[in-house]
Amino acid sequence: MTDLETRVAPRGLGAAASALLGYAAVRALGLLVLAVWSAARDKSAYTLLTARWDSLWYTRVAELGYGYEVRLPNGDVHSNLAFFPLLPWLERLLHTTTPLSYAGAGFVVSLLASLAAAWGIFAVAAHVYGRRAGLYAVLLWAVIPVGIVQSMAYSESLFTALAAWSLYAVLTGRWLTAGTLALLAGLTRPVGLAVVAAVWAAGIAALLRERAGTAPSAHHRSTAPIGGAHPDEHAPSPARHLPPDGAPAWRCALGMLLAPLGAAGYVLWVGHRTGSGPLGYLDVQAGWRNGFDGGYAFARFIAEKFTSFPSALAGLALIAGVALLVRLHVVCVRQRQPLPLLVYAGVVTALALCASSYFGSKPRLLLPAFPLLLPLALALARLRTRAAALVVGGVAVASAVYGAFWLNGSGPP
């Protein structure tokens, strides 16, 4: 075993301190630009963050419970049963125990969850590729164009935090923790299925290795502690791509059993409440014109952009964006990302692109797919610090301006 493999990095919050400070700085910049932009338009930045679109639906669930719906003139029924319960539960808990309003509670939950998500992303990336790559993975997640959503009273930050730490638990062989966090992720968003799939894929692989007697040897086990790995390693290494052996098989199996209970429990409850059977949740989503059509509606939406020259540019940009996502997936595979990360990012991307929902929301739906950022984080980690800082700083400014413009627009993010 080499010197590099035996080095142990600082564990816990201390290892992630730089990443979290950088993340907080980027988000603070985004909020500052939003406040200035909104004030210039006689709007309240706080209202934009806490009391528009989905955030209103979450606070209604927190305050009034389920059962609220809106019937549109075209016959569509928008029911608040479409919104999973964990965020409203937390909003209600914080409202009950503090002077915060429901909207304020949602904002605080989102802010705290975004920090937990950043920490979880650092833990995953540092565990696989080293602490320097972990730092840039967090910064890249902060500066993506729709990063302002991380500070809204939406469920994306909460979901990403649960997903990231569940994936980290899988990578380090903590199966009960992984299953419990996957359960909670399944109570947060429908895309919780991606976390369940990742836990199951890793669990099945681990059980098959154990049955075949081919569990990774001590030389191939992960030696990285919580919150970090080997700070000078930038290249992928199979040494950390399998959960460490030694955990009893029953823990792995129990973690796998726990993982789907959150999503399955809520979906079955909705079906029972609506009297529509086990898949009644799909009927609720249909009322919002949401569904899974394999990407047909999205492809048709892109094709319609080419009916005129100005909109054709938007169509080309959408095609380029999808091509970039595919390219990043290919690179992730070539760099031998751990199986649970590949499965998780693949399912998140597939659900986002192949859903027939509001197309303007697709960038937001892709927000939790942070493993796709790891190839870019590795590239930044290989640059000199000054050059990487200039790149991240420039993108952070552009992201802050775009987020303020986007949130002050008419359509929901």
Side-chain angles (χ1 to χ4, degrees):
M1 189 174 290
T2 66
D3 225 12
L4 229 98
E5 289 172 319
T6 56
R7 251 185 293 175
V8 175
R11 65 173 63 232
L13 186 59
S18 297
L20 293 178
L21 287 173
Y23 175 80
V26 172
R27 291 273 36 90
L29 174 63
L31 292 175
L32 176 61
V33 173
L34 174 66
V36 173
W37 191 299
S38 302
R41 295 171 58 89
D42 292 325
K43 293 184 178 181
S44 165
Y46 180 75
T47 299
L48 294 176
L49 292 167
T50 63
R52 292 187 73 186
W53 307 309
D54 288 8
S55 57
L56 285 175
W57 286 90
Y58 282 119
T59 55
R60 286 192 188 107
V61 173
E63 183 177 5
L64 304 173
Y66 285 106
Y68 177 84
E69 63 182 27
V70 175
R71 294 184 178 272
L72 303 184
N74 65 357
D76 290 346
V77 178
H78 289 183
S79 168
N80 65 0
L81 289 169
F83 296 88
F84 277 50
L86 186 57
L87 177 58
W89 286 347
L90 294 176
E91 289 179 346
R92 180 179 295 177
L93 175 64
L94 201 56
H95 169 75
T96 303
T97 56
T98 70
L100 291 170
S101 66
Y102 287 105
F107 182 61
V108 170
V109 169
S110 186
L111 287 182
L112 295 177
S114 69
L115 289 171
W119 189 5
I121 291 169
F122 172 84
V124 170
H127 179 78
V128 179
Y129 295 130
R131 283 189 293 165
R132 187 172 170 86
L135 167 66
Y136 289 114
V138 170
L139 294 178
L140 284 172
W141 191 66
V143 303
I144 57 179
V146 294
I148 190 64
V149 174
Q150 297 162 19
S151 301
M152 296 180 68
Y154 273 38
S155 60
E156 272 75 13
S157 289
L158 178 61
F159 174 79
T160 305
L162 294 167
W165 283 108
S166 180
L167 291 170
Y168 180 75
V170 168
L171 293 175
T172 54
R174 297 170 169 88
W175 294 106
L176 296 182
T177 300
T180 301
L181 292 173
L183 183 157
L184 293 173
L187 286 171
T188 307
R189 296 187 62 79
V191 75
L193 294 174
V195 190
V196 175
V199 172
W200 272 68
I204 291 171
L207 292 174
L208 290 176
R209 287 197 309 270
E210 180 172 320
R211 183 173 182 180
T214 57
S217 65
H219 178 75
H220 291 109
R221 293 181 197 171
S222 165
T223 57
I226 294 175
H230 310 298
D232 298 324
E233 290 184 81
H234 297 161
S237 168
R240 294 189 301 280
H241 280 199
L242 296 173
D245 54 327
W250 70 265
R251 288 181 175 270
C252 178
L254 183 55
M256 293 171 64
L257 289 174
L258 286 172
L261 294 183
Y266 181 69
V267 168
L268 291 174
W269 178 81
V270 170
H272 173 73
R273 180 183 175 99
T274 60
S276 303
L279 299 181
Y281 182 77
L282 298 180
D283 296 332
V284 172
Q285 286 284 13
W288 287 80
R289 294 189 179 269
N290 289 339
F292 188 87
D293 61 3
Y296 172 75
F298 187 41
R300 188 176 62 184
F301 173 76
I302 294 175
E304 290 172 353
K305 294 293 182 183
F306 291 93
T307 57
S308 64
F309 172 71
S311 63
L313 297 178
L316 290 173
L318 289 171
I319 292 174
V322 173
L324 175 61
L325 289 173
V326 173
R327 174 62 179 168
L328 287 174
H329 273 287
V330 171
V331 174
C332 289
V333 173
R334 288 180 176 175
Q335 291 183 343
R336 295 185 297 171
Q337 270 192 20
L339 176 64
L341 299 190
L342 293 174
V343 170
Y344 168 76
V347 174
V348 171
T349 304
L351 290 176
L353 296 184
C354 297
S356 58
S357 56
Y358 178 71
F359 302 111
S361 297
K362 291 194 180 294
R364 171 174 65 85
L365 299 180
L366 289 164
L367 192 62
F370 68 89
L372 296 181
L373 299 173
L374 297 188
L376 301 177
L378 277 172
L380 285 174
R382 294 188 179 107
L383 296 177
R384 293 180 180 272
T385 300
R386 178 175 296 180
L390 287 174
V391 171
V392 172
V395 177
V397 172
S399 175
V401 172
Y402 178 77
F405 165 78
W406 190 44
L407 203 55
N408 275 276
S410 58

